[in-house]
Amino acid sequence: MTSPAHLAMFSIAAHGHVNPSLEVIRELVARGHRVTYAIPPAFAEKVAATGAEPRLWHSTLPGPDADPEAWGTTLLDNVEPFLDDAIQALPQLIEAYEGDEPDLVLHDITSYPARVLAHRWGVPAISLSPNLVAWEGYEEEVAEPMWAEPKRTERGRAYYARFRAWLEENGITEHPDSFVGRPARSLVLIPRVLQPHADRVDESVYTFVGACQGDRGAEGDWQRPAGAEKVVLVSLGSAFTKQPGFYRECVQAFGGLPGWHTVLQIGRHVDPAELGDLPGNVEVHSWVPQLAILRQADLFVTHAGAGGSQEGLATATPMIAVPQAVDQFGNADMLQGLGVARHLPREEATAAALRETALRLVDDPEVARRLKDVQAEMAREGGTRRAADLIEAELPAGADPA
């Protein structure tokens, strides 16, 4: 009797990178695979709950509850920590898997060591992308203009030299840009409607499986209060939450609306006392079971991160997108283009603008119709089960699928 296939997943300690993969991992375990998940200790319990075995390693990246300012402000500030972390993580991961090499490597887009390990072990690797992927022309249209100035600096040249040297030490001659941005095989864990230039994405490499969501019962439940005619959830996700002024605008926008109930998630870097006196129809938490609330909500005020955006789409909830950083601006534009949200730049997200936008959105039958269309389209992408099917199809010949 052959032993079950061993699949190894690699990620970093960040909610937006771990959470999208969890249901896929749970499904693979349920199908009889042995799954290990290399992750820093902060997410060990969450990973273990899927049935996978956590393989712990120490990370030098800012933790999941770190102040966003810890990431710096420039492009090089943002990317250098990932290379530093990868270089110091690789020996830990080699040791963690010595004598127990997997049949297949799964990895988040931020896990550079995973692709190095797959090369060393001679096994296939599949990227699980929690956000948009490169399209044909992406380098010329986005990456090259973005990197033009940093590449001219001594610091930028040193970054690339160090990256290339690390890859070459491990037998990889690929350029760092393609190594990071052009995987050989990728499952995209967002719906195709959130992908810019989706018609130019190479479908032989990238497969959109859409939202991979479970029942999330372990995260807790939430019940709509009696008498609440409209429920609005306000959440800026898990990282860019240090925005007390914005939360005060939301309280002012929705707290005085008759029949409305507001759930406000403020993260760990804001004291509720900073919000002043709160009306009885506003509840404030550092964290909430977001999906449970969205299934009952009438409006979602979101930073338009990839996870929140697709949860809003999956639950057919109208959205006000107030992006804070990175890919959120593009997501906000995509949501608005779909006709299911309004993009309010942060500096324009006043109480008056939030209230006016909310009242237009929640009772608009065209918005509701478009949300239902997108919801149905997402369901056809297959989600968790299709992702697991596609992963099994990549298992090397001779690896027992169950």
Side-chain angles (χ1 to χ4, degrees):
M1 179 177 177
T2 57
S3 58
H6 175 194
L7 292 81
M9 173 69 192
F10 297 80
S11 191
I12 61 169
H15 295 283
H17 291 269
V18 173
N19 290 348
S21 71
L22 292 177
E23 291 307 315
V24 178
I25 299 304
R26 194 188 312 275
E27 176 70 14
L28 291 168
V29 171
R31 294 184 181 197
H33 299 290
R34 184 166 73 90
V35 184
T36 55
Y37 198 127
I39 192 70
F43 280 84
E45 186 176 342
K46 182 173 274 195
V47 164
T50 67
E53 175 200 336
R55 291 282 172 94
L56 302 183
W57 58 280
H58 170 71
S59 174
T60 57
L61 292 173
D65 298 319
D67 190 312
E69 293 173 5
W71 289 98
T73 57
T74 70
L75 180 57
L76 286 167
D77 287 341
N78 295 159
V79 300
E80 285 173 338
F82 286 99
L83 179 57
D84 294 340
D85 194 49
I87 292 171
Q88 68 87 36
L90 184 61
Q92 298 181 60
L93 295 168
I94 291 171
E95 182 179 357
Y97 280 90
E98 188 172 2
D100 189 28
E101 291 81 6
D103 300 295
L104 177 73
V105 164
L106 304 171
H107 65 93
D108 180 72
I109 56 173
T110 57
S111 184
Y112 306 162
R115 290 194 63 193
V116 170
L117 289 167
H119 177 81
R120 290 173 65 111
W121 295 330
V123 301
I126 305 176
S127 165
L128 302 184
S129 178
N131 49 26
L132 64 85
V133 295
W135 56 89
E136 296 309 311
Y138 171 83
E139 285 79 8
E140 296 81 2
E141 295 165 20
V142 177
E144 289 174 9
M146 182 171 65
W147 273 100
E149 179 56 34
K151 282 184 175 180
R152 285 194 287 266
T153 67
E154 183 177 346
R155 182 181 172 191
R157 289 192 295 271
Y159 166 78
Y160 271 96
R162 188 173 182 224
F163 207 148
R164 295 194 78 146
W166 180 64
L167 292 176
E168 288 169 5
E169 285 168 15
N170 288 284
I172 297 173
T173 57
E174 193 174 355
H175 189 277
D177 288 346
S178 58
F179 175 83
V180 171
R182 290 287 182 177
R185 184 75 177 98
S186 177
L187 302 184
V188 191
L189 308 181
I190 64 169
R192 197 171 187 271
V193 295
L194 283 179
Q195 169 66 40
H197 308 294
D199 59 329
R200 288 197 271 151
V201 171
D202 183 351
E203 295 185 2
S204 69
V205 172
Y206 301 99
T207 304
F208 290 89
V209 297
C212 296
Q213 297 165 351
D215 62 15
R216 303 275 184 91
E219 295 184 358
D221 198 10
W222 183 86
Q223 294 300 320
R224 187 184 185 108
E229 298 171 18
K230 302 287 185 187
V231 169
V232 53
L233 171 62
V234 179
S235 171
L236 298 180
S238 59
F240 300 94
T241 59
K242 196 175 180 180
Q243 300 291 341
F246 170 70
Y247 300 137
R248 286 193 290 269
E249 294 291 334
C250 290
V251 170
Q252 186 179 344
F254 307 120
L257 284 176
W260 282 60
H261 183 83
T262 303
V263 182
L264 187 56
Q265 176 181 287
I266 60 174
R268 300 181 187 277
H269 302 292
V270 175
D271 186 334
E274 296 180 68
L275 307 185
D277 293 332
L278 298 174
N281 63 339
V282 176
E283 56 179 282
V284 176
H285 307 276
S286 62
W287 178 91
V288 297
Q290 181 164 288
L291 196 57
I293 298 172
L294 286 176
R295 286 171 175 151
Q296 305 172 66
D298 302 280
L299 178 68
F300 185 21
V301 180
T302 172
H303 64 311
S309 296
Q310 65 181 345
E311 287 183 1
L313 293 174
T315 56
T317 308
M319 287 171 272
I320 298 177
V322 187
Q324 306 293 307
V326 290
D327 63 333
Q328 298 159 17
F329 300 98
N331 292 340
D333 288 338
M334 294 292 287
L335 291 169
Q336 180 163 281
L338 291 169
V340 301
R342 297 293 180 270
H343 177 181
L344 267 186
R346 184 169 56 184
E347 62 276 11
E348 297 176 21
T350 62
L354 287 163
R355 186 186 304 114
E356 179 187 353
T357 304
L359 293 174
R360 285 206 316 267
L361 274 175
V362 295
D363 291 321
D364 188 330
E366 180 62 15
V367 170
R369 184 190 67 77
R370 292 188 180 192
L371 278 163
K372 289 297 183 185
D373 288 347
V374 171
Q375 187 183 46
E377 184 177 337
M378 287 173 64
R380 290 191 291 271
E381 289 177 322
T384 303
R385 293 184 63 83
R386 186 171 180 226
D389 290 344
L390 291 166
I391 290 167
E392 289 183 329
E394 298 289 334
L395 282 168
D400 188 358

